[in-house]
Amino acid sequence: MLFKKAIPCLLLLVSCGKNQEIVHPVETKMTESVYSSVTIQPDSLYKVYSAVNGILDINLVEEGDLVKKGAPILQIINTSPKLNTENARLNVKLAQEKYQGNYAILRDIQDEMNAARLRYRNDSINFFRQENLWKQKIGSKLEYDTKKLNFELSTNQLQLLQTKYNRTKNELKTQLEQAKNSYRTSLINTEDFTVDSKIDGKVYALFKNPGELVSTMEPIAAIGKDDVFIIEMLVDEVDIVKIALGLRALITLDAYGSDVFEAKISKIYPRKEERSQTFKIEAEFVSPPKVLYPGLSGEGNIVVAEKENSLTIPKEYLIEGNKVRTSEGYVSVSIGLQNLDRVEILSGITKDTELLKPEK
């Protein structure tokens, strides 16, 4: 009997003797962060476009040059035909004649108004005379109704013509102003055109060489601040709700190896990039590196929560998102903060609980 009782115990030791990894939860500082890719860009970076089509005559600056606001960047020879300008000038003359000259449109309406005004006065006199007679029981009801109807019709006709005259005059005035604007635009388009810088900054790119065609649809240069850089970060859509302005971010750049730079979240773009399924946010360096170039890349971790003395376990010991395997079986737990390696346990186990690594 003694020998029989010893067999189960022996089997237990053998089972336990297999390479079973056992850990205990530990209390440590827990930091939860959100990962993002990083690209460095100059502040206020913008693409320069031309207001006219033409041929690039000369670049007045070189890439890397510092420019002041309003400084000329390049000169464009406009190739727009001068015929457009002559047509615009004729349109102004025609619109001016319609509005201010003896053009038939307003004159004809004015003649109709003068005739309608005479009819109105005549019908008015006849109606009020007939009305006085009718009050004295003189004349017939038919005569009274006829003169009243004529008076009302002439009144309405005069009002309609007055409205038509005012509306037509306003339309002609608008057409004149539009023709003048088109003429001014055509005058600009027939001249050589100089593109100026909109900010104090640095020329980061020139996209055209002298002699190449310039279109209003294509950028011809890129200009941005030379001393202020922003950090563009792409965050996965599942993490964007955790991001808030002012959160701390830890940045590493490929150009600086393992150096870590602190930054603060300064802007969150509300629109998702459909192609990458990410949201773009911006951050500013607390203490930026001494040398930065547009396009430098790296990685960032945005700190969304921190907690001292958290009870944590290795993330690989968590099963199905809310269970752990103990020496007494599977136990449900409540989790809190998480990072890449560990997860916080809020309830379900203690620091004395033995945890077995889940079986694969």
Side-chain angles (χ1 to χ4, degrees), residues 5 82 86 106 109 124 167 175 196 257 268 273 318 334:
K5 291 182 179 180
K82 296 184 181 296
E86 180 62 19
L106 289 179
I109 299 176
S124 174
R167 183 180 67 251
Q175 292 173 6
D196 300 331
I268 301 173
E273 297 288 340
L318 192 63
S334 298

Side-chain angles (χ1 to χ4, degrees), residues 100-112:
Q100 296 174 333
N102 295 321
Y103 207 79
I105 297 177
L106 289 179
R107 189 179 61 202
D108 289 349
I109 299 176
Q110 186 70 55
D111 291 344
E112 290 183 51

